């Protein structure tokens, strides 16, 4: 029987960020799908579609839900950061056989607790009405908070591939208390599949305790794995193979798609 896994990239990124995982999981016998989130294709330095500014997390979720529903069986959804929220929302619609959440962002209702997390939100506040436009992040923000386990050369190589992100998405994520639509809310009780949460211990963008909290919401269905010496982009960091193996082993041991 086919074994499908959808690898969902995070904000500002693209399918390129999961190239290593795509190869790794394919070699383990999985059929990998690497969709591009809406408006994340093309030249990352090019001008953006004006509609991108008002694209919501809900739009991303709808797009991934359509892909999942089109497959011959419910896939495993593997999502990074904000894509972990998307994956959970799709699973709450009954469209996933399992979830792998990599450094998941805090869902609606969970406040930031560290200076690092608050610093990222403050950086957006300094951009003015950022929710009305596509956003680009500075290297000086990305390098220490998300790329801190990569060499300087690797940091620049990754940063040069990052494109813009919807200002509305960032508003929904970091300022959820003002979002009437509750776009980042997760209906934990509607997710019936097994869930693996993997968090980098040195992730400065999202504290690993968020991942532990999310796993706990799923009770016996949730498994938490702390990744020492890893940060936000752990799937591109030295030792990425070890974490990929943790994910693949769990996927196979969970019995999903058997």
């Amino acid at each position: 029987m086919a074994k499908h896994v959808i690898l969902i990239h995070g904000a500002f990124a693209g399918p390129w960020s999961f190239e290593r995982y795509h190869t790794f999981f394919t070699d383990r016998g999985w059929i990998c799908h690497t969709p591009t989130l809406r408006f994340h294709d093309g030249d990352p330095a090019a001008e953006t579609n004006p509609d991108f500014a008002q694209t919501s997390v809900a739009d991303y979720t709808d797009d991934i839900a359509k892909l999942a529903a089109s497959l011959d069986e419910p896939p495993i959804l593997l999502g990074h950061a904000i894509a972990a929220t998307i994956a959970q929302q799709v699973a709450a619609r009954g469209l996933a056989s399992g979830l792998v959440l990599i450094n998941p962002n805090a869902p609606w209702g969970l406040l930031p607790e560290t200076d690092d997390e608050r610093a990222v939100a403050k950086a957006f506040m300094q951009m003015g009405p950022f929710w009305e436009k596509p956003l680009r992040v500075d290297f000086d923000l990305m390098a220490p908070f998300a790329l801190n386990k990569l060499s300087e050369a690797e940091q620049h190589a990754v940063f040069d591939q990052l494109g813009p992100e919807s200002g509305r998405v960032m508003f929904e994520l970091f300022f959820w208390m003002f979002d009437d639509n509750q776009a980042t809310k997760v209906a934990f009780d509607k997710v019936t599949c097994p869930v693996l949460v993997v968090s980098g211990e040195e992730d400065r963008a999202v504290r690993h305790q968020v991942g532990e909290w999310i796993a706990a919401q799923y009770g016996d269905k949730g498994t938490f794995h702390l990744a020492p010496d890893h940060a936000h982009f752990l799937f591109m960091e030295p030792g990425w193979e070890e974490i990929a193996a943790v994910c693949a082993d769990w996927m196979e041991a969970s019995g999903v798609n058997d």
Side-chain angles (χ1 to χ4, degrees), residues 68-83:
S70 73
L71 302 177
D72 56 11
E73 62 182 25
I76 287 181
L77 304 177
L78 186 154
H80 172 232
I82 186 61

Side-chain angles (χ1 to χ4, degrees), residues 96-249:
S97 60
L99 294 177
V100 178
L101 312 178
I102 306 292
N103 289 324
N105 278 117
W108 188 94
L110 195 62
L111 288 167
E113 293 187 359
T114 67
D115 290 340
D116 285 343
E117 290 172 314
R118 287 187 286 267
V120 175
K122 289 177 181 177
F124 287 121
M125 292 174 63
Q126 294 171 349
M127 298 179 183
F130 65 89
W131 53 88
E132 297 178 350
K133 58 188 178 182
L135 297 178
R136 294 184 184 274
V137 290
D138 295 330
F139 179 81
D140 290 342
L141 179 65
M142 284 295 298
F145 285 98
L147 308 176
N148 47 304
K149 293 301 290 184
L150 299 176
S151 68
E152 185 175 355
E154 291 170 326
Q155 289 176 347
H156 282 284
V158 172
F159 180 80
D160 289 346
Q161 296 180 81
L162 297 177
E165 185 53 71
S166 163
R168 179 176 176 180
V169 166
M170 291 296 97
F171 175 81
E172 293 169 341
L173 176 59
F174 289 99
F175 300 93
W176 51 264
M177 64 289 296
F178 303 117
D179 176 27
D180 294 337
N181 296 319
Q182 301 183 355
T184 61
K185 191 168 186 178
V186 173
F188 296 107
D189 59 330
K190 293 184 178 180
V191 177
T192 59
C193 62
V195 180
L196 171 66
V197 183
V198 180
S199 293
E201 189 172 22
E202 297 186 37
D203 187 352
R204 296 183 61 192
V206 185
R207 68 188 187 280
H208 63 81
Q209 289 87 350
V210 169
E212 190 170 8
W213 181 88
I214 289 174
Q217 304 313 299
Y218 292 110
D220 293 341
K221 298 190 302 292
T223 300
F224 178 71
H225 178 83
L226 182 64
D229 300 319
H230 281 286
H232 197 62
F233 273 66
L234 56 79
F235 41 84
M236 302 182 76
E237 298 167 358
W240 66 267
E241 302 95 334
E242 297 176 10
I243 305 304
V246 167
C247 297
D249 289 346

Side-chain angles (χ1 to χ4, degrees), residues 13-46:
W16 52 266
S17 60
F18 275 130
E19 287 180 355
R20 294 171 179 173
Y21 271 31
H22 186 286
T23 300
F24 187 94
F25 291 133
T26 298
D27 290 344
R28 294 278 292 248
W30 293 84
I31 299 173
C32 295
H33 308 265
T34 51
T36 303
L37 293 181
R38 194 179 298 195
F39 296 118
H40 286 69
D41 52 350
D43 183 353

Side-chain angles (χ1 to χ4, degrees), residues 28-70:
R28 294 278 292 248
W30 293 84
I31 299 173
C32 295
H33 308 265
T34 51
T36 303
L37 293 181
R38 194 179 298 195
F39 296 118
H40 286 69
D41 52 350
D43 183 353
E47 289 295 320
T48 58
N49 187 313
D51 293 337
F52 191 14
Q54 287 304 309
T55 299
S56 168
V57 171
D59 295 318
Y60 297 159
T61 297
D62 286 343
D63 292 344
I64 299 301
K66 289 178 183 178
L67 172 58
S70 73

